[in-house]
Amino acid sequence: MTDILFFYDPISPYAHLAFERLPEALMGHSVQVRYRPVLFAALLKAHGQLGPAEIPAKRDWTYRHVSWLGHHHGVVLDMPAAHPFNPLPLLRLGLACATDDAPGETNRYVTELLFRHVWRGGLDAADPARLAELQALLQDHMAQRGKPWNAPDSEVVKQRLRANTDEALALGLFGVPAMVVDGRVFWGHDALPMLRAYLDGDTWFETQWGAAAQRPEGVRRSQTG
């Protein structure tokens, strides 16, 4: 069985699309997907980048693009009432459901609830009443499993999120969604066919994976004014 680490932040529409389409991409393969929530903003900050929604023209394109991708692939994607928003409450709610044997992971059911809270219905993802409803649903899920619930604002949950984000940075991740298999990083919703090809044993990965990235820099843009 092949382990796949799926790093995500529910603030990302591309992560939502990848999550919804992942079962199709993995069909026929024996895999175990480990869903790891991370703070996307921390990845951006570490690499000195702005998020897509922080660049006006890119923001407009991103929203149009993801709406079209949802339409094209038959994935429900309703833009939330406001975007971007603070995803920390959602990330912590997810990791409040993590268990001691997998402290940085959310199962697929919990991950689905986080994404659909944002990307279905066109509602306010940060609305306190909706977050309270989601928390009650997640607490009931944990109770039915006979598993302990950790308060979302507890230090243990905060540490889980920090650890996941640190792990992502150590792996060289710069955005979400990112899928890591055998040390190889597949970034973005549009990398799903590439991930599928790797699992299918495409020989390109033996000869070209490393070579494709080995290019000298012809010029480097100055980061100062």
Side-chain angles (χ1 to χ4, degrees):
M1 181 175 293
T2 302
D3 268 9
I4 299 176
L5 302 182
F6 184 96
F7 290 89
Y8 72 93
D9 184 328
I11 198 172
S12 167
Y14 292 107
H16 167 66
L17 288 164
F19 173 82
E20 291 287 342
R21 298 191 61 228
L22 193 60
E24 177 186 355
L26 301 180
M27 193 175 297
H29 289 278
S30 179
V31 299
Q32 180 172 7
V33 182
R34 302 182 181 277
Y35 298 97
R36 301 261 176 100
V38 297
L39 183 60
F40 178 37
L43 302 185
L44 293 172
K45 182 178 180 180
H47 291 287
Q49 296 177 309
L50 293 176
E54 297 177 279
I55 304 170
K58 192 172 184 179
R59 182 178 190 266
D60 293 347
W61 166 253
T62 297
Y63 295 162
R64 292 182 181 120
H65 188 220
V66 297
S67 294
W68 182 85
L69 285 171
H71 162 74
H72 178 69
H73 292 294
V75 174
V76 176
L77 190 151
D78 303 316
M79 291 300 302
H83 193 278
F85 56 90
N86 180 7
L88 271 174
L90 282 175
L91 291 164
R92 291 174 178 169
L93 277 174
L95 286 171
C97 299
T99 54
D100 290 341
D101 58 331
E105 298 177 16
T106 54
N107 64 30
R108 186 162 177 94
Y109 172 75
V110 170
T111 309
E112 180 179 73
L113 287 179
L114 298 182
F115 276 121
R116 294 189 177 186
H117 174 89
V118 179
W119 300 105
R120 289 201 173 186
L123 303 174
D124 182 357
D127 177 65
R130 293 192 66 228
L131 289 170
E133 290 176 4
L134 178 60
Q135 177 168 327
L137 185 61
L138 293 172
Q139 284 180 289
D140 182 63
H141 168 67
M142 295 301 284
Q144 289 186 30
R145 297 172 66 202
K147 300 292 185 180
W149 166 265
N150 292 287
D153 60 351
S154 65
E155 186 55 34
V156 65
V157 169
K158 293 177 181 178
Q159 179 54 36
R160 287 171 176 173
L161 182 57
R162 286 194 293 266
N164 279 3
T165 305
D166 288 344
E167 179 188 15
L169 289 170
L171 289 168
L173 273 56
F174 50 86
V176 291
M179 293 145 283
V180 183
V181 189
D182 298 333
R184 290 178 165 92
V185 176
F186 297 82
W187 172 62
H189 162 262
D190 54 358
L192 288 178
M194 191 178 183
L195 171 63
R196 172 76 190 201
Y198 176 71
L199 295 173
D200 285 343
D202 191 318
T203 57
W204 179 92
F205 293 90
E206 298 175 14
T207 60
Q208 296 299 313
W209 176 270
Q214 293 175 2
R215 295 291 179 271
E217 289 183 278
V219 66
R220 177 173 292 188
R221 181 168 58 89
S222 173
Q223 298 298 314
T224 61

